[in-house]
Amino acid sequence: MSTLVSLAYLISGICFIMALRGLASPETARQGNVFGISGMALAIVTTLFLVEPSSLVLIALAIAVGGGIGLVIARKIKMTALPQLVAAFHSLVGLAAVLVASAAFLSPGSYGIAQGGSIHLSSLIEMALGVAIGAITFTGSLVAFAKLQGLVSGKPLVFKFQHQINLGLGILIFLSLLVLVLTQAPFAYWTIVVTSLVLGFLLILPIGGADMPVVISMLNSYSGWAAAATGFTLENPLLIITGALVGASGAILSYIMCKGMNRSIFNVILGGFGTDGAAASTSAAANDRPVKVGSAEDASFILKNAASVIIVPGYGMAVAHAQHALREMGDILKKEGVRVRYAIHPVAGRMPGHMNVLLAEADVPYDDVLELEEINSDFGQTDVAFVIGANDVTNPAAHSDPQSPIYGMPILDVENAKTVLFIKRTMGAGYAGVENELFFRTNTMMLFGDAKQMCENIVKALES
Amino acid sequence: MALNDIISGLNGIAADQHRLSALAEELAKQAQAVAGQASSAGQGFFITGLTVFVLACFVGYYVVWRVTPALHSPLMAVTNAVSSVIIVGALLAAGPVEMTASKIMGLAAIALASINIFGGFIVTQRMLAMYKKKTVGNEKAKK
């Protein structure tokens, strides 16, 4: 590899770092994205100089086809469908990693990693690791996509001997790796590929819909490590740098998501704990404790007379596409002189930052949207906490009940507000299957109905 | 007499220089051979690669912790686009003239990675364009 190519790769690596750095604040983020695009363009153009000119036509065709599909999808996708889009994109990176590693295995000569037909020992190991991680990312992301898209049930699909089977597959991959290193036998390589594909599928299948923020972050991380392993195989520092950046990013996001649920990453992976919100609400708790139920008119009266309101959105808001109606409600209240803010729990929604994107889409200014640590102490001085489509993240049992499965999870302390308004479809428990004590408090008013419909009705009542 | 001494001395130096440059040439050749052996054994790059990898992990760690939680979704989308830099490997696989299985795999990987690159960056751009600062009222919202 000539010096110029290496330098170009270095520059594009720096561009990628700048792209991530830009995301430190919304003001610099767009500029960061430009850095990212430039880095990618530089990397591709540089590599094209290393390619036989006669191959360029086919390559251009492949880029045009892929790029065209990507362009159309990215333009058309609805922001509420973002989590499944990201999952689908992760699967593509995984599959691309499998293809690249396999291409390197079949003709190592094109990458200069073989001598007289035998591939170097270290390249073989790196190749096997890359293809295994890539294959797990591919099928795992496909399952995550199917769950988020609602193609398969979001309920955890637990099967017998699930951990033993997964462990067995893991051992099989390791043994195949040993055989591959010792004999360079193609069958060992393809065993690794197939076993990893199955393993990725089985690993994600038992994980419930509400744990998807962790799963998506984890697969994000995997796609990075797959790229890095490919970088080792191809002796390409740019792939290593980028893979490490992406891998670290995904790992940190997984950590933040796990902390937001007070669970360890192993608990999530081995879990089979979370069910879908919709699935849980059908198993509504059959009890007769009295709750205060209000109408949209009651809610609008309370909201109008408040001095400050904190809105707590959750996955239910995304499902009902209620963000625009909600913003409209917020705008009217602001005009009435009410101080309106939004409080986001780290694991609200189905991917990290999901709620922030939806609120931004509805033109909610980002400085009205605050994170748990920033706003949690303000609930005590707040007149109304308006909970829309969230449940477990407000459950005081996380503080008070050591027996509760969500004990220790950081929550938004909406109970400290003078009045709590809950928009819910039914009295059902959240995904954790835990009864929320807040529903039965005297300062709580339940607003039953579809989140979007309810917001629209409140808007009507406020305007009249 | 003195002149002769100087001339013979100079001759000696010239001969020494000749010998030295021959030695240097030999040394360079050996170094090259060693370097070639090292890289052909794959060991030379592994350590370099590992160094790059570990340092990049640290950079990633510090950069990503500074990302504001409000932008975690765009972060996922952009890291997704960026990890498609694996297209570099795919381009090399699709590079040779003969149509082999590995070239076909390379072309397929190029198409897949391109979906990701275009899709990822455009979705990120769309998301980021939505984040607006407040325009009216609610001045005290920021703590």
Side-chain angles (χ1 to χ4, degrees):
Chain A
M1 206 186 297
S2 77
T3 318
L4 266 181
V5 171
S6 302
L7 277 178
Y9 281 166
L10 176 63
I11 293 170
S12 77
I14 292 170
C15 283
F16 292 154
I17 295 172
M18 296 303 284
L20 299 194
R21 219 190 90 92
L23 291 169
S25 105
E27 280 114 60
T28 54
R30 266 157 273 186
Q31 187 199 353
N33 204 36
V34 174
F35 267 114
I37 296 171
S38 323
M40 186 61 76
L42 181 64
I44 293 176
V45 171
T46 307
T47 314
L48 285 179
F49 282 107
L50 305 175
V51 164
E52 292 289 335
S54 61
S55 303
L56 284 177
V57 180
L58 275 177
I59 288 173
L61 197 70
I63 293 181
V65 170
I69 297 173
L71 193 101
V72 172
I73 294 176
R75 284 261 172 87
K76 289 213 166 146
I77 194 82
K78 285 214 180 80
M79 283 300 148
T80 38
L82 210 57
Q84 49 266 49
L85 178 76
V86 170
F89 279 171
H90 285 156
S91 77
L92 296 182
V93 179
L95 185 55
V98 171
L99 288 171
V100 171
S102 303
F105 181 72
L106 290 178
S107 54
S110 345
Y111 298 98
I113 52 171
Q115 221 165 19
S118 71
I119 305 176
H120 306 139
L121 184 70
S122 58
S123 297
L124 269 180
I125 299 174
E126 293 152 4
M127 201 181 280
L129 279 179
V131 82
I133 303 172
I136 291 173
T137 311
F138 173 52
T139 47
S141 302
L142 279 186
V143 176
F145 169 78
K147 286 195 177 220
L148 289 164
Q149 182 74 23
L151 299 177
V152 298
S153 161
K155 271 190 268 182
L157 299 169
V158 192
F159 46 91
K160 265 194 175 167
F161 303 120
Q162 143 198 355
H163 302 318
Q164 286 86 339
I165 293 174
N166 289 345
L167 186 67
L169 290 175
I171 292 172
L172 183 59
I173 293 176
F174 183 73
L175 290 180
S176 312
L177 177 72
L178 282 184
V179 175
L180 179 70
V181 168
L182 292 176
T183 65
Q184 207 187 319
F187 89 88
Y189 178 83
W190 298 113
T191 310
I192 294 177
V193 175
V194 174
T195 316
S196 306
L197 287 172
V198 176
L199 184 60
F201 187 76
L202 292 182
L203 270 181
I204 307 300
L205 208 56
I207 301 180
D211 284 336
M212 280 303 149
V214 184
V215 173
I216 294 199
S217 317
M218 210 173 68
L219 291 167
N220 186 224
S221 185
Y222 284 1
S223 69
W225 303 133
T230 314
F232 274 101
T233 316
L234 308 184
E235 308 196 344
N236 185 320
L238 175 61
L239 282 184
I240 297 178
I241 294 174
T242 316
L245 286 177
V246 176
S249 164
I252 290 174
L253 287 177
S254 312
Y255 170 78
I256 294 174
M257 294 299 113
C258 284
K259 221 177 95 213
M261 296 196 287
N262 190 36
R263 298 171 62 197
S264 73
I265 186 88
F266 295 106
N267 185 291
V268 173
I269 297 169
L270 305 177
F273 167 85
T275 58
D276 223 354
S281 61
T282 53
S283 63
N287 63 51
D288 308 318
R289 291 174 67 186
V291 292
K292 210 157 78 182
V293 181
S295 66
E297 287 73 26
D298 301 332
S300 80
F301 181 78
I302 295 173
L303 287 167
K304 209 187 279 185
N305 290 304
S308 58
V309 173
I310 296 179
I311 298 173
V312 179
Y315 183 56
M317 180 193 82
V319 174
H321 298 269
Q323 63 269 29
H324 294 277
L326 183 67
R327 195 259 310 153
E328 214 177 317
M329 188 191 94
D331 281 354
I332 296 175
L333 289 175
K334 276 190 204 171
K335 267 187 215 136
E336 301 271 338
V338 184
R339 185 187 188 197
V340 180
R341 287 176 298 170
Y342 297 79
I344 310 282
H345 191 275
V347 293
R350 285 293 185 262
M351 70 184 283
H354 193 189
M355 291 298 125
N356 302 78
V357 173
L358 294 181
L359 291 175
E361 187 201 11
D363 284 331
V364 174
Y366 62 77
D367 26 14
D368 286 353
V369 183
L370 300 164
E371 302 301 321
L372 183 127
E373 302 87 40
E374 296 174 303
I375 201 166
N376 222 7
S377 52
D378 290 6
F379 278 106
Q381 298 96 51
T382 299
D383 293 324
V384 180
F386 187 85
V387 184
I388 171 167
N391 184 358
D392 289 332
V393 298
T394 65
N395 196 336
H399 287 326
S400 56
D401 179 10
Q403 306 304 318
S404 170
I406 60 169
Y407 183 71
M409 177 172 122
I411 58 160
L412 287 159
D413 296 318
V414 297
E415 58 173 331
N416 295 339
K418 290 200 185 78
T419 309
V420 183
L421 297 175
F422 256 102
I423 298 192
K424 272 187 113 272
R425 273 176 304 184
T426 62
M427 268 307 282
Y431 84 81
V434 191
E435 196 72 68
N436 194 337
E437 192 54 37
L438 268 183
F439 299 164
F440 310 105
R441 298 264 172 99
T442 45
N443 64 338
T444 301
M445 181 187 274
M446 303 298 293
L447 306 165
F448 288 119
D450 174 70
K452 187 181 181 188
Q453 196 64 47
M454 185 55 78
C455 286
E456 283 167 353
N457 291 344
I458 294 175
V459 167
K460 267 184 220 148
L462 281 170
E463 279 171 339
S464 64
Chain B
M1 179 74 166
L3 196 68
N4 273 351
D5 273 354
I6 291 172
I7 288 174
S8 72
L10 278 177
N11 277 342
I13 290 172
D16 279 353
Q17 198 185 8
H18 201 75
R19 264 213 318 272
L20 258 177
S21 72
L23 268 174
E25 217 167 281
E26 181 66 20
L27 202 67
K29 255 186 215 158
Q30 275 177 5
Q32 216 164 16
V34 169
Q37 259 170 8
S39 81
S40 73
Q43 302 308 325
F45 182 79
F46 180 74
I47 292 301
T48 316
L50 192 67
T51 312
V52 171
F53 177 73
V54 172
L55 291 179
C57 281
F58 274 93
V59 172
Y61 180 85
Y62 287 107
V63 170
V64 171
W65 271 116
R66 286 190 50 188
V67 172
T68 165
L71 291 176
H72 275 164
S73 285
L75 172 68
M76 296 206 87
V78 85
T79 49
N80 193 256
V82 160
S83 62
S84 306
V85 74
I86 204 160
I87 196 174
V88 167
L91 287 170
L92 294 177
V97 184
E98 328 84 87
M99 192 50 96
T100 56
S102 103
K103 177 163 178 166
I104 294 170
M105 284 182 177
L107 286 170
I110 291 175
L112 292 175
S114 300
I115 296 180
N116 240 330
I117 293 171
F118 281 72
F121 280 123
I122 292 170
V123 152
T124 311
Q125 195 75 31
R126 260 186 70 191
M127 271 192 261
L128 293 176
M130 297 185 315
Y131 282 82
K132 292 186 193 87
K133 238 183 150 76
K134 71 170 148 252
T135 43
V136 283
N138 228 14
E139 286 312 321
K140 285 175 288 182
K142 211 166 183 178
K143 73 163 181 184

